[in-house]
């Protein structure tokens, strides 16, 4: 395989555009992509024609506008290129209009009540900044999705708006420093975690199939205690899968770079090289889709759920984020002397301020029923948003806040104490894996995202709140006589005001929760509580001010998030009830019956044959069975009382009544599993699943 040759072979990328488009058209398209100029409508026709010819040469017969509705998945509707050509024959055609806009019925997509259902018209519109590609005989045209009245109905349009807002405000800041540039782009590198299990085991678990996670399952005796799986040698079947996946990703121009085993058994990670946010979002959506479809070809199933197995690490997605100018200046690069890099210090201050002011919506941007099992539950990071700066930048900020001289923390040189080994340069700081928002050298890493998340939403929030901080700073600084002293004054004032959000110690340790509470930081442990803050004025106004969401859009999205939470818990609870009543209780009952008949037979043979073992197990299991039945009945009754149409109250009830009910049902069933004969238990165990590939 010639990797440079296959890389991007199915993408209508810059190289192909240059090759196939008339020179003027190419220049106009690149101007839109590179400096955010509005697309010149007259070029749509020639771009469409060239795109179609190229796609047909790749075997495509169809095209689709590919978009990201509020379901969290992607959506596509395929139309063929054919058009009748008079004498019973057809030609292949894609017009400029078909490339630019598609009309579709939006009524079956979530809108959060922002639209009456009879107003069903929706439009998909081409996003020229993300390249089109060919997959399975179809030309995919990345698009946004809006309603007839112009409300956004997807995750991409607000992301693009937030990138525009950040671009505008960041350029103002740069201008204060005398730097002119065409565009400031945000960049994202999402590290994707996932589980791979065998299809055979998957098919035997209704919970995995219906909810993406196991609702029952006793702890396996060898979980991740030995920490042997992390970076462990790849199982040949997994290695073959990863190879296949890489090939598919590379063909679609996705810069898959790193792959390794993760901490938990059956858990893995893929990290791509970062790119512009909206391209990274599209790439990650494709990655998640391909992770699943490629697995099927190998008789495997890819689980993207945040917590498929209780007691085993869940999966997240680290969102590496930065901003850079078209001239290649990374605004988060501290350089060799951060203490004299005033621009860096100002940018850092803006981010610290933004994260502190809007910790609530950052937390909410990653809140889902599934992610609740990770954040603030039994694994890092916690549900409390805080910023980690590391030794070097931490010392710098401390010196500013405390008015002390900055003593540089130098990145040392490392040696392993063996003369033959080379001396290596060390980083200026160690890693802190427990921080939700960590500075890592020349970027921030937001680590609260769930593995299944569409990264568009958290990035929309990050861009918006940073743009807003930039805006306030620019308003204050523009036109000031002595910029240097005005900037320094501002930095000191704002760092002091937002110092509480900085936490450089173990975010997973027992000290942090009470300490965070003393500092007045939010700690929302479930989606219902986390999303509630989205309705607060301040959290709506920031989006309105930056032109990212209208008030109505902001409310609609918060409603959809809660609706989704309620629906998911409802499906899980119903699935749990069914599994308990139809599979687990009968299995326990059968095993108890078999033990009882063993006792009867023993007694019939000879009254002196001991049966203490049977008696003890029968008593324990029969009690658990009764308790399980009662706990399930309670869950069922509590669920029936909830009015699922009233999302706010329903989400609260789900979080505070149903989730604890479900935990109770599970605890009893898992205890029963531990003492029931394997041959009687109706589902594959954690051992079977986690070690089944
Ligand atoms: P780690 O395990 O230390 O987090 P990885 O190499 O797995 O490191 O991931 C780092 C991620 O950060 C990669 O996706 C990388 O491309 C991305 N990244 C590096 N620089 C930037 C940047 N300026 N903006 C956004 N992402 C970046
Ligand atoms: Mg990372």
């Amino acid at each position: 395989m010639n990797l440079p040759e296959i890389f991007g072979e199915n993408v209508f990328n810059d190289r192909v555009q240059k090759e196939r488009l008339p020179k003027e058209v190419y220049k106009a398209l690149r101007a839109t992509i590179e400096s955010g100029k509005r697309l010149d409508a007259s070029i749509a026709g020639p771009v469409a024609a060239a795109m179609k010819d190229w796609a047909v040469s790749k075997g495509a017969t169809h095209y689709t506008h590919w978009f990201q509705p509020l379901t969290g998945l992607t959506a596509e509707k395929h139309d063929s290129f054919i058009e009748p050509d008079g004498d019973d024959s057809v030609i292949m055609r894609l017009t400029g209009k078909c490339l630019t806009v598609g009309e579709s019925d939006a009524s079956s997509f979530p809108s959060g009540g922002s639209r009456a259902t009879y107003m069903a018209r929706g439009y998909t519109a081409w996003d020229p900044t993300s390249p089109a590609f060919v997959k399975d005989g179809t030309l995919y045209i990345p698009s946004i999705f809006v309603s007839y009245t112009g409300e956004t109905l997807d995750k991409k349009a607000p992301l693009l708006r937030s990138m525009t807002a950040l671009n505008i405000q960041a350029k103002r800041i740069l201008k204060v420093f005398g730097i002119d540039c065409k565009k400031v782009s945000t960049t994202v590198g999402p590290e994707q975690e996932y589980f791979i299990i065998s299809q055979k085991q998957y098919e035997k678990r209704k919970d995995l199939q219906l909810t993406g996670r196991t609702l029952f399952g006793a702890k396996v005796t060898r979980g991740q205690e030995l920490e042997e799986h992390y970076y462990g040698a790849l199982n040949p079947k997994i290695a073959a899968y990863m190879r296949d996946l890489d090939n598919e990703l590379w063909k679609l121009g996705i810069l898959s770079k790193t792959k390794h085993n993760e901490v938990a058994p059956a858990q893995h990670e893929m990290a791509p090289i970062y790119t512009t946010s909206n391209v990274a979002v599209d790439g990650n959506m494709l990655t998640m889709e391909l992770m699943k479809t490629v697995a099927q070809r190998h008789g495997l199933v890819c689980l993207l759920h945040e917590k498929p197995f209780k007691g085993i690490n869940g999966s997240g997605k680290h969102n590496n984020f930065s901003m850079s100018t078209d001239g290649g200046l990374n605004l988060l690069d501290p350089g060799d002397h951060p203490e004299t890099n005033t621009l860096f210090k100002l940018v850092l201050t803006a981010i610290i301020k933004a994260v502190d002011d809007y910790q609530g919506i950052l937390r909410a941007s990653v809140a889902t029923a599934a992610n609740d099992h990770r954040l603030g539950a039994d694994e890092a990071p916690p549900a409390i948003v805080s910023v980690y700066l590391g030794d070097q930048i931490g010392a710098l900020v401390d010196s500013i806040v405390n008015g002390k001289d900055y003593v540089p923390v130098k990145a040392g040189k490392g040696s392993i104490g063996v003369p033959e080994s080379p001396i290596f340069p060390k980083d200026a700081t160690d890693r802190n894996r427990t921080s939700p928002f960590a500075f890592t050298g020349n970027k921030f890493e937001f680590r609260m995202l769930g593995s299944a998340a569409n990264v568009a939403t958290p990035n929309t929030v990050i861009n918006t709140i940073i743009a807003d901080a930039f805006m306030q700073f620019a308003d204050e600084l523009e036109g000031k006589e002595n910029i240097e002293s005005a900037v320094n004054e501002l930095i000191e004032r704002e760092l002091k005001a937002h110092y509480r959000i900085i936490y450089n110690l173990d975010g997973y340790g027992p000290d942090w929760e009470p300490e965070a509470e003393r500092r007045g930081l939010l700690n929302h442990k479930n989606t219902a509580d986390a999303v509630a803050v989205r309705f607060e004025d301040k959290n709506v106004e920031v989006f309105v001010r930056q032109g990212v969401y209208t008030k109505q859009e902001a409310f609609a999205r918060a409603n959809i998030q809660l609706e989704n939470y309620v629906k998911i818990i409802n499906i899980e609870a119903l699935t749990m009830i069914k599994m308990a009543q139809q599979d687990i209780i009968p299995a326990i009952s059968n095993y108890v019956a078999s033990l009882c008949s063993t006792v009867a037979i023993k007694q019939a043979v000879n009254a002196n044959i001991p049966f203490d073992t049977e008696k003890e197990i029968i008593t324990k299991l029969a009690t658990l069975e009764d308790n399980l039945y009662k706990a399930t009945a309670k869950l069922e009754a509590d669920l029936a009382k909830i009015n699922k149409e009233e999302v706010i109250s329903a989400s609260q009830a789900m979080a505070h009544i149903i989730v604890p009910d479900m935990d109770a049902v599970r605890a009893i069933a898992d205890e029963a599993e531990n003492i029931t004969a394997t041959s009687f238990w109706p589902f594959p165990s954690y051992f079977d699943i986690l070690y089944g590939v």
Side-chain angles (χ1 to χ4, degrees):
M1 179 192 49
N2 183 340
L3 177 48
E5 213 157 83
I6 71 155
F7 184 83
E9 71 174 16
N10 293 337
V11 185
F12 193 69
N13 54 20
D14 186 29
R15 187 173 43 80
V16 184
Q17 289 167 13
K18 195 170 198 168
E19 212 172 272
R20 291 188 170 252
L21 293 172
K23 208 168 174 183
E24 287 313 306
V25 174
Y26 171 75
K27 268 173 53 189
L29 179 61
R30 291 317 294 180
T32 293
I33 297 170
E34 279 152 25
S35 55
K37 261 185 72 182
R38 186 177 291 283
L39 187 80
D40 172 0
S42 70
I43 70 166
V47 174
M51 223 186 242
K52 184 266 303 172
D53 287 343
W54 168 82
V56 169
S57 79
K58 296 275 164 198
T61 52
H62 288 69
Y63 71 95
T64 180
H65 276 199
W66 182 65
F67 59 103
Q68 297 169 22
L70 298 172
T71 54
L73 305 171
T74 55
E76 50 194 73
K77 174 179 116 233
H78 301 224
D79 281 304
S80 72
F81 290 125
I82 61 168
E83 257 182 39
D85 190 26
D87 51 354
D88 288 345
S89 61
V90 292
I91 53 162
M92 304 282 264
R93 193 155 127 156
L94 179 68
T95 63
K97 181 161 181 287
C98 289
L99 166 64
T100 320
V101 54
E103 198 260 306
S104 68
D105 187 336
S107 61
S108 296
F109 291 105
S111 74
S114 70
R115 224 163 10 101
T117 29
Y118 64 87
M119 305 270 286
R121 222 184 260 277
Y123 293 95
T124 51
W126 174 35
D127 166 16
T129 61
S130 181
F133 54 91
V134 167
K135 188 168 74 70
D136 304 326
T138 294
L139 169 68
Y140 282 73
I141 302 165
S143 301
I144 59 163
F145 186 40
V146 294
S147 76
Y148 184 72
T149 47
E151 281 146 22
T152 58
L153 297 173
D154 72 342
K155 305 219 167 196
K156 276 286 288 295
L159 174 74
L160 293 169
R161 288 178 181 173
S162 73
M163 291 166 72
T164 302
L166 189 128
N167 174 36
I168 293 169
Q169 303 304 336
K171 281 199 296 197
R172 288 178 65 197
I173 293 289
L174 288 168
K175 198 134 201 185
V176 167
F177 286 82
I179 302 170
D180 265 316
C181 72
K182 277 200 269 183
K183 189 175 179 182
V184 175
S185 304
T186 54
T187 50
V188 168
E191 302 166 48
Q192 178 73 47
E193 291 182 336
Y194 60 99
F195 278 87
I196 293 286
I197 63 169
S198 127
Q199 170 118 30
K200 283 202 198 92
Q201 309 291 6
Y202 176 80
E203 282 167 357
K204 291 182 203 148
R205 298 272 327 202
K206 289 178 204 168
D207 45 4
L208 279 177
Q209 293 176 60
L210 291 170
T211 71
R213 73 178 179 108
T214 53
L215 299 171
F216 297 101
K219 247 186 119 165
V220 63
T221 46
R222 183 185 185 123
Q224 58 198 54
E225 296 81 1
L226 298 175
E227 302 181 320
E228 65 209 324
H229 193 254
Y230 193 57
Y231 284 10
L234 298 176
N235 164 337
K237 281 192 214 156
I238 299 293
Y241 162 73
M242 286 180 168
R243 223 173 8 254
D244 206 4
L245 175 65
D246 270 341
N247 275 336
E248 296 295 332
L249 293 172
W250 288 331
K251 280 194 243 169
L252 289 171
I254 295 164
L255 294 149
S256 172
K257 173 84 174 164
T258 310
K259 54 186 181 184
H260 60 81
N261 282 350
E262 258 302 330
V263 176
Q267 193 186 29
H268 315 280
E269 178 180 305
M270 188 289 276
I273 296 172
Y274 71 97
T275 164
T276 323
S277 302
N278 67 320
V279 178
V281 166
D282 289 356
N284 185 246
M285 294 309 281
L286 270 176
T287 300
M288 291 195 285
E289 184 187 316
L290 286 166
M291 281 180 161
K292 290 185 170 180
T293 50
V294 172
Q296 279 170 11
R297 300 208 287 255
H298 291 252
L300 302 168
V301 173
C302 170
L303 304 176
L304 290 171
H305 192 283
E306 280 73 6
K307 193 77 173 178
F309 307 102
K310 193 175 174 205
I312 298 279
N313 263 18
S315 301
K317 185 144 55 191
H318 289 177
N319 187 86
N320 295 273
F321 163 89
S322 193
M323 302 164 270
S324 55
T325 68
D326 52 306
L329 170 68
N330 177 354
L331 303 190
L332 281 171
D333 185 354
D336 290 337
H337 292 283
E339 68 279 15
T340 56
N341 187 343
T342 319
L343 173 61
F344 168 76
K345 285 191 282 185
L346 187 68
V347 171
L348 183 74
T349 305
I351 294 180
I352 290 169
K353 171 183 165 57
V355 174
D356 185 29
D357 281 341
Y358 296 106
Q359 46 181 294
I361 42 176
L362 264 180
R363 163 70 182 93
S365 77
V366 297
T368 60
N371 214 18
D372 285 354
H373 298 288
R374 300 177 57 240
L375 304 176
D378 43 12
E379 65 186 82
I384 309 158
V385 175
S386 68
V387 175
Y388 169 79
L389 296 172
D391 299 340
Q392 188 192 29
I393 305 302
L396 174 62
V397 166
D398 286 350
S399 74
I400 298 171
V401 169
N402 302 322
K404 294 213 179 95
D405 279 346
Y406 167 65
V407 184
V409 177
K410 278 263 176 296
K413 290 207 169 20
S415 151
I416 58 170
V418 176
E420 293 86 342
S421 295
I423 302 286
F424 55 90
K426 285 203 299 195
D427 293 301
T429 183
D430 198 1
R431 290 163 179 264
N432 177 334
R433 308 297 299 186
T434 62
S435 173
F437 207 92
F439 183 70
T440 44
N442 59 3
K443 57 183 164 75
F444 269 99
E445 193 169 337
F446 185 30
R447 303 206 181 107
M448 294 174 103
L449 286 77
S451 46
N454 181 329
V455 295
T457 305
N459 282 293
T460 300
V461 174
I462 292 173
N463 296 342
T464 304
I465 62 178
I466 296 175
D468 204 60
F470 280 166
M471 186 173 91
Q472 287 181 42
F473 289 4
D475 285 349
E476 180 175 333
L477 297 171
E478 276 168 356
K480 278 270 159 62
E481 297 249 316
N482 186 342
I483 288 293
E484 187 71 21
S485 77
V487 171
N488 284 329
E489 213 170 277
L490 182 154
I491 289 174
E492 189 184 328
R493 183 191 73 221
E494 294 296 331
L495 285 180
K496 279 182 175 156
H498 300 287
Y499 194 61
R500 64 169 188 168
I501 198 75
I502 296 168
Y503 189 65
N504 283 323
L505 303 176
D506 183 6
Y508 192 34
D511 302 337
W512 180 223
E513 271 203 71
E515 168 65 14
E517 199 180 329
R518 270 194 296 280
R519 295 187 188 189
L521 301 179
L522 299 175
N523 185 4
H524 291 137
K525 297 207 171 176
N526 61 65
T527 299
D529 296 341
V531 176
V533 307
R534 293 188 66 177
F535 295 98
E536 291 169 10
D537 287 346
K538 152 184 147 176
N539 292 333
V540 173
E541 281 157 13
V542 65
F543 290 113
V544 177
R545 203 160 45 238
Q546 295 307 324
V548 175
Y549 297 140
T550 61
K551 192 171 172 183
Q552 199 180 21
E553 285 170 337
F555 283 167
R557 277 152 203 272
N559 274 322
I560 290 171
Q561 199 177 1
L562 288 180
E563 234 170 65
N564 196 271
Y565 174 73
V566 169
K567 284 180 187 164
I568 284 173
I569 306 274
N570 189 46
I571 292 170
E572 288 187 348
L574 292 172
T575 306
M576 184 169 229
I577 293 165
K578 262 199 180 310
M579 287 172 76
Q581 292 179 344
Q582 299 182 332
D583 301 305
I584 298 177
I585 291 173
I588 300 173
S589 183
N590 281 340
Y591 182 47
V592 168
S594 129
L595 291 172
C596 289
S597 56
T598 306
V599 173
I601 294 165
K602 280 184 174 177
Q603 289 283 287
V605 173
N606 181 334
N608 293 329
I609 299 178
F611 55 87
D612 288 352
T613 309
E614 284 84 0
K615 199 171 129 196
E616 194 153 315
I617 301 174
I618 290 165
T619 314
K620 270 195 197 159
L621 273 180
T623 312
L624 287 170
E625 186 189 343
D626 277 357
N627 291 345
L628 180 57
Y629 183 78
K630 283 178 207 148
T632 309
K634 174 170 181 338
L635 169 62
E636 202 169 14
D638 286 342
L639 196 61
K641 281 185 228 147
I642 298 172
N643 175 2
K644 285 143 206 119
E645 305 300 312
E646 282 284 331
V647 286
I648 303 226
S649 61
S651 67
Q652 287 295 329
M654 290 297 182
H656 300 286
I657 300 170
I658 301 303
V659 169
D661 277 358
M662 289 173 69
D663 289 343
V665 170
R666 177 175 186 149
I668 302 166
D670 290 357
E671 200 184 332
E673 181 184 344
N674 275 330
I675 47 172
T676 301
T678 308
S679 58
F680 278 80
W681 199 254
F683 309 113
S685 68
Y686 269 22
F687 169 76
D688 299 329
I689 305 171
L690 289 166
Y691 295 96
V693 172

